[in-house]
Amino acid sequence: MTQIPKIELKITASQLTDVCNALDFIKPILTFEDRNKVRKLKNYYSLLDVVRLKLAKKLLSHANKTKPFKLSLQYYEANCIHETLKVTGCNHEGQKMFNQLDQKLA
């Protein structure tokens, strides 16, 4: 079985702040009749919660730093961030991180 490599990003605290702000949205109430769709969305939202917590911890540890630092993500974490940012969008600094994810996930 082939192991999927981690996604390594070189980012700044301001990029991470913009991405964290873009990922911080109120989740809608799931009222779909289709149980498979509800299950997929619950799975996605629970993964997003884990990813947001990881990014928040990283942001707290690098909040006052101006130099770029390395952010290591599992493929599924990077994909979750990427797919969410496609929908929510982000500011200029966050777009730089999105572009890195776009290249690494291709």
Side-chain angles (χ1 to χ4, degrees):
M1 188 167 160
T2 307
Q3 188 174 12
I4 298 172
K6 288 187 174 185
I7 305 294
E8 304 285 337
L9 304 174
K10 197 87 160 158
I11 61 169
T12 63
S14 62
Q15 290 172 351
L16 187 55
T17 300
D18 281 354
V19 168
C20 285
N21 290 337
L23 297 179
D24 189 26
F25 61 89
I26 298 172
K27 294 176 268 186
I29 297 171
L30 303 176
T31 58
F32 301 110
E33 295 293 325
D34 183 1
R35 289 186 181 191
N36 286 335
K37 191 169 188 175
V38 170
R39 177 182 269 173
K40 287 178 184 179
L41 284 172
K42 283 182 179 179
N43 183 39
Y44 163 73
Y45 287 141
S46 64
L47 174 59
L48 184 59
D49 286 341
V50 171
V51 170
R52 287 195 293 198
L53 182 61
K54 179 177 182 170
L55 295 180
K57 287 179 180 179
K58 191 73 164 182
L59 183 59
L60 284 174
S61 66
H62 289 83
N64 297 325
K65 297 180 181 173
T66 56
K67 289 184 177 181
F69 55 91
K70 185 175 87 170
L71 176 64
S72 181
L73 299 166
Q74 295 291 336
Y75 184 88
Y76 62 89
E77 294 170 327
N79 190 57
C80 180
I81 295 167
H82 186 260
E83 292 299 318
T84 306
L85 292 178
K86 275 190 208 177
V87 175
T88 62
C90 53
N91 294 332
H92 177 71
E93 287 296 313
Q95 186 66 38
K96 293 176 186 177
M97 182 173 161
F98 176 82
N99 292 342
Q100 283 188 61
L101 283 170
D102 204 37
Q103 289 176 349
K104 302 268 179 159
L105 291 171

